């Protein structure tokens, strides 16, 4: 069990680490199992720490140690202090030490930071840090750190001042500074050309179109979406999708054809699948009635999941049955829409496939959406799934469970008390647990 836990922390299993929070979950397991931190120490304090370029190599182990330090684990504090002295990502360790329960966790860290950090590195630490600790507090104790903190504050002030003047249409160049010409706003043609030349930037360019395009540019953008270069088509489709433009319904039949590049088909699926208008629902039903399958069929199902009616229930359940075990990155979006649609329509016949998604998904976000749907359609949710989810790694899932779990089930009342008093717990979960306990 402990070896499996170490493996999960050291070889982060999250598909998208930035969207899933597991450090509290893993830290609680270390605490409950009485697990030592030797494996984490061996992973962090080694030569590979300085040669491995993977940015995620240390993030989760340090976050777990930080959570344990906030819970009062002295061995976690000691390991964080050792890593701060010897490790590559020492500034992250210092940030976690600043939130430790032990007030002595930061003892001597100011001298270490001044020794290890160049001014530019310390500047970034202050700029990116949250709150006052530790960098700003250290500014009151050391002249060099104070100068860095003051420089950060001055640069922020200049940036805010420049932004305010820009919004007011004034010249933003300081009177005694270099005269920098104002940055020219790109045209729609230029953004589309950039997308065509750099397909990797096509989605970014699609977002940039929103800041430069007006109603008079619609024809130009539609032309790019129909027959432009692949990158330009992707940018145009993203822009039109954000607007919910009805022309996407005709574009879908062209863009989702076999002759379109894969990146264009993917952009079309995302753009068209997000439509929620009455016209889109009617067209989706027509596509399915005509036997359209493949990407166009998937888009039709996603539209019906978001805006269809009870009569579309059998189609949604059948689609969920087909893809419930497919958790690939390009299928999670479709699964999420289907699960949400089942919950929105209250399709109780879909309990089993939704439970399969909940039990089998490696993505915490998708699992949370499945739990939200089960709360609406599973008759015994409060005494079964909700109880399981009180220990889930995702705060949103725990919040749903706290609101619905049956307090008469063995162990639930004690779990509520743990959640209510745990300082590391999400505040929304803690408040919900306290509210239910107070109602007893």
């Amino acid at each position: 069990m402990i070896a499996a836990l170490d493996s999960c922390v050291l070889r982060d299993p999250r598909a998208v680490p930035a969207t899933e929070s597991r450090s509290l979950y893993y830290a609680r397991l270390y605490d409950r199992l009485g697990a030592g931190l030797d494996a984490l120490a061996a992973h962090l304090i080694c030569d590979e720490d300085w040669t491995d370029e993977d940015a995620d190599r240390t993030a989760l182990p340090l976050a777990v140690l930080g959570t344990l330090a906030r819970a009062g684990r002295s061995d976690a504090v000691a390991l964080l202090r050792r890593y701060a002295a010897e490790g590559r990502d020492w500034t992250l360790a210092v940030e976690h030490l600043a939130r430790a329960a032990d007030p002595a966790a930061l003892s001597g860290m100011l001298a270490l930071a001044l020794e290890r950090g160049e001014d530019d590195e310390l500047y970034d630490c202050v700029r990116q840090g949250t709150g006052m600790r530790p960098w700003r507090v250290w500014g009151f104790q050391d002249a060099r750190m104070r100068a860095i903190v003051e420089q950060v504050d001055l640069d922020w002030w200049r940036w805010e001042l420049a932004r305010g003047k820009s919004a007011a249409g004034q010249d933003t160049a300081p009177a005694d500074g270099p005269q920098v010409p104002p940055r020219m706003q790109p045209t729609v043609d230029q953004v589309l050309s950039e997308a065509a030349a750099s397909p990797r930037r096509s989605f970014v360019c699609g977002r940039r179109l929103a800041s430069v395009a007006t109603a008079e540019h619609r024809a130009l953008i539609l032309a790019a979406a129909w027959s432009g270069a692949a990158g330009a088509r992707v940018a145009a489709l993203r822009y039109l999708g954000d607007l919910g433009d009805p022309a996407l319904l005709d574009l879908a039949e062209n863009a989702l054809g076999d002759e379109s590049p894969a990146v264009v088909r993917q952009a079309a699926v995302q753009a068209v699948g997000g439509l929620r208008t009455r016209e889109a629902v009617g067209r989706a039903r027509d596509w399915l009635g005509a036997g359209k399958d493949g990407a166009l069929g998937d888009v039709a199902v996603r539209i019906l999941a978001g805006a269809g009616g009870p009569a579309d229930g059998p189609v949604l359940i059948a689609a969920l049955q087909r893809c419930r075990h497919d958790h690939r990155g390009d299928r999670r979006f479709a699964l999420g829409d289907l699960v949400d649609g089942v919950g929105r329509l209250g399709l109780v016949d879909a309990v089993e496939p939704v439970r399969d998604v909940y039990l089998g998904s490696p993505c915490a976000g998708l699992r949370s959406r499945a739990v939200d749907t089960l709360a609406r359609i599973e008759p015994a949710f409060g005494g079964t799934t909700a109880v399981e989810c009180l220990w889930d790694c995702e705060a949103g899932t725990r919040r749903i469970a706290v609101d619905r779990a049956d307090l008469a089930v063995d162990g639930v009342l004690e779990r509520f008390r743990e959640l209510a008093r745990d300082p590391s717990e999400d505040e929304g979960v803690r408040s919900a647990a306290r509210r239910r306990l107070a109602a007893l």
Side-chain angles (χ1 to χ4, degrees):
M1 177 71 76
I2 294 176
L5 174 59
D6 287 335
S7 178
C8 286
V9 175
L10 303 182
R11 299 170 183 81
D12 193 345
R14 296 174 294 180
V16 185
T19 64
E20 297 188 36
S21 175
R22 296 197 185 181
S23 58
L24 176 58
Y25 176 74
Y26 291 141
R28 282 173 170 162
L29 287 176
Y30 273 101
D31 204 40
R32 287 179 178 275
L33 295 172
L37 306 178
D38 290 347
L40 274 63
H43 177 82
L44 292 170
I45 312 295
C46 65
D47 293 341
E48 189 178 357
D49 184 51
W50 291 93
T51 58
D52 191 333
E53 297 298 327
D54 184 1
D56 295 325
R57 183 181 182 276
T58 59
L60 183 56
L62 290 175
V64 170
L65 289 174
T67 304
L68 289 171
R70 289 196 297 278
R73 283 275 296 258
S74 59
D75 54 345
V77 172
L79 182 51
L80 282 172
R81 287 177 60 85
R82 182 183 172 193
Y83 186 79
E86 302 178 31
R88 180 188 61 179
D89 298 321
W90 64 276
T91 58
L92 185 56
V94 170
E95 292 279 359
H96 286 301
L97 284 169
R99 296 188 289 273
D102 183 0
L106 284 173
S107 175
M109 287 293 112
L110 170 57
L112 182 143
L114 294 173
E115 178 184 347
R116 293 204 62 178
E118 300 291 338
D119 283 0
D120 288 347
E121 187 176 15
L122 295 176
Y123 176 95
D124 288 338
C125 291
V126 176
R127 184 172 58 86
Q128 297 169 9
T130 57
M132 291 292 291
R133 287 171 57 86
W135 311 103
R136 291 182 177 276
V137 172
W138 288 341
F140 295 106
Q141 304 172 13
D142 178 80
R144 178 183 165 204
M145 188 66 73
R146 181 166 58 252
I148 292 170
V149 170
E150 289 175 350
Q151 186 63 52
V152 170
D153 289 341
L154 179 61
D155 289 346
W156 273 115
W157 176 79
R158 285 173 172 166
W159 179 80
E160 290 283 359
L161 181 63
R163 187 176 65 163
K165 288 184 176 180
S166 177
Q170 301 177 24
D171 182 10
T172 61
D176 57 349
Q179 298 299 306
V180 181
R183 184 175 180 179
M184 299 299 294
Q185 183 83 318
T187 66
V188 170
D189 279 326
Q190 288 172 335
V191 174
L192 291 173
S193 296
E194 180 183 348
S198 306
R200 284 189 173 185
R201 293 186 50 79
S202 55
F203 274 91
V204 175
C205 290
R207 188 167 60 244
R208 289 177 62 198
L209 282 175
S211 65
V212 297
T214 63
E216 66 185 30
H217 296 112
R218 182 171 182 266
L220 174 62
I221 295 173
L222 282 175
W226 275 102
S227 57
R233 292 179 71 186
V234 170
L237 285 166
R238 172 165 184 168
Y239 170 77
L240 295 170
D242 289 343
L243 292 181
D245 195 297
L248 284 168
L249 295 170
D250 292 326
L251 279 165
E253 299 184 11
N254 174 59
L256 295 177
D258 292 337
E259 69 280 359
S260 296
V263 66
V264 173
R265 294 201 302 272
Q266 182 183 12
V269 166
Q270 293 182 8
V272 185
L275 294 176
R276 298 294 181 260
T277 64
R278 183 177 302 176
E279 183 182 1
V281 170
R283 187 73 69 90
R285 289 170 177 161
D286 291 343
W287 288 334
L288 293 173
K292 300 291 186 181
D293 53 12
L296 195 58
D298 289 344
V299 166
V301 169
R302 290 183 66 185
I303 293 173
L304 296 180
D312 301 306
V315 172
L316 299 182
I317 294 175
L320 184 58
Q321 292 276 14
R322 288 195 302 272
C323 66
R324 58 181 166 170
H325 298 301
D326 191 349
H327 300 115
R328 292 174 298 173
D330 58 344
R331 300 294 292 171
R332 282 199 299 271
F333 299 107
L335 264 177
D337 286 345
L338 284 170
V339 166
D340 291 346
V342 165
R344 181 178 64 84
L345 296 173
L347 304 177
V348 295
D349 292 340
V351 167
E352 288 307 314
V354 174
R355 275 194 65 82
D356 284 345
V357 174
Y358 158 62
L359 294 172
S361 175
C363 175
L366 178 56
R367 190 169 62 251
S368 187
R369 294 167 76 172
V371 170
D372 185 53
T373 291
L374 288 172
R376 305 182 190 196
I377 67 174
E378 187 178 35
F381 179 81
T384 56
T385 307
V387 176
E388 298 172 10
C389 291
L390 290 172
W391 285 267
D392 194 86
C393 67
E394 198 69 21
T397 306
R398 294 196 299 277
R399 174 63 188 274
I400 296 170
V402 168
D403 287 339
R404 301 295 189 94
D406 185 350
L407 290 170
V409 176
D410 287 345
V412 170
L413 194 58
E414 179 56 33
R415 178 59 176 161
F416 270 47
R417 291 178 178 135
E418 291 177 353
L419 294 172
R421 64 174 180 257
D422 186 348
S424 299
E425 183 55 75
D426 175 80
E427 184 54 39
V429 176
R430 293 174 66 190
S431 298
R434 291 193 196 107
R435 185 169 58 250
R436 291 206 61 189
L437 288 171
L440 291 177

